[in-house]
Amino acid sequence: TYWSTLSLTGESLKVIKLPEEARPDGTNVTIPTNAVPVRLEFADAVNGNCVWSHQVPVGASSISLLRIWVIREVAANVRLDVTVTRFSLSNGATSASDANSETIAVSAVDGAIEALTINSAAYNGLSFSAGDIIGVRILRDGGNAADTYNATWKVVAFEITFA
């Protein structure tokens, strides 16, 4: 496992997941060799997805924030579908959020890294117990007319803040 950061901030637990921890689809989402920084690259004009998973930490019962950290190379909109799934290790139950479709604006063309906040509809209504496993699926809907980010979309990290 490639642990990056686990920090206690007030009452919340924040976890930063790196590209190496993702499971990209391997066709429309890849991790290029020798890229700096290491990143997931979502191809333009097609649908591509990846999944991250994480064990829910002790004391957490919900998610308070999801963010994707991207390299800003085009000032445009990216269309995403985000789904969060809970897998209970205690009783085998599974529950999932509805896929949350949203269009998020990338604000500048400067090569800087920007955090894009995912709408809470992607995870509201799910509750967790310590030890549960959550999976987060990010799909770039590059074929959607609302996706005007006409370039490869580069993701460098994924942030989950538990409450």
Side-chain angles (χ1 to χ4, degrees):
T1 300
Y2 296 89
W3 269 94
S4 54
T5 305
L6 177 63
S7 62
L8 187 60
T9 308
E11 296 295 318
S12 298
L13 289 171
K14 182 185 296 185
V15 178
I16 306 294
K17 306 295 279 183
L18 299 176
E20 300 95 323
E21 298 173 274
R23 298 294 179 259
D25 68 22
T27 302
N28 296 327
V29 180
T30 59
I31 300 175
T33 305
N34 300 323
V36 177
V38 175
R39 60 185 175 252
L40 290 161
E41 292 190 351
F42 288 72
D44 182 35
V46 294
N47 289 353
N49 72 82
C50 69
V51 176
W52 280 274
S53 61
H54 191 76
Q55 188 168 29
V56 175
V58 173
S61 60
S62 63
I63 295 174
S64 62
L65 180 69
L66 291 179
R67 294 197 299 184
I68 301 172
W69 294 80
V70 302
I71 299 173
R72 298 191 304 208
E73 295 185 333
V74 177
N77 294 323
V78 64
R79 181 72 176 178
L80 302 177
D81 288 335
V82 180
T83 307
V84 178
T85 304
R86 169 194 165 258
F87 305 95
S88 172
L89 296 182
S90 63
N91 64 18
T94 300
S95 56
S97 65
D98 293 329
N100 176 58
S101 297
E102 63 182 293
T103 302
I104 300 177
V106 177
S107 63
V109 182
D110 60 8
I113 295 176
E114 177 179 11
L116 305 177
T117 300
I118 301 300
N119 188 304
S120 62
Y123 51 85
N124 278 351
L126 292 177
S127 60
F128 310 104
S129 298
D132 288 351
I133 302 294
I134 63 163
V136 180
R137 178 179 167 267
I138 307 289
L139 177 131
R140 178 185 180 186
D141 188 0
N144 189 300
D147 188 315
T148 59
Y149 196 93
N150 296 324
T152 299
W153 188 56
K154 299 173 182 175
V155 174
V156 296
F158 179 73
E159 177 184 336
I160 310 166
T161 302
F162 292 96

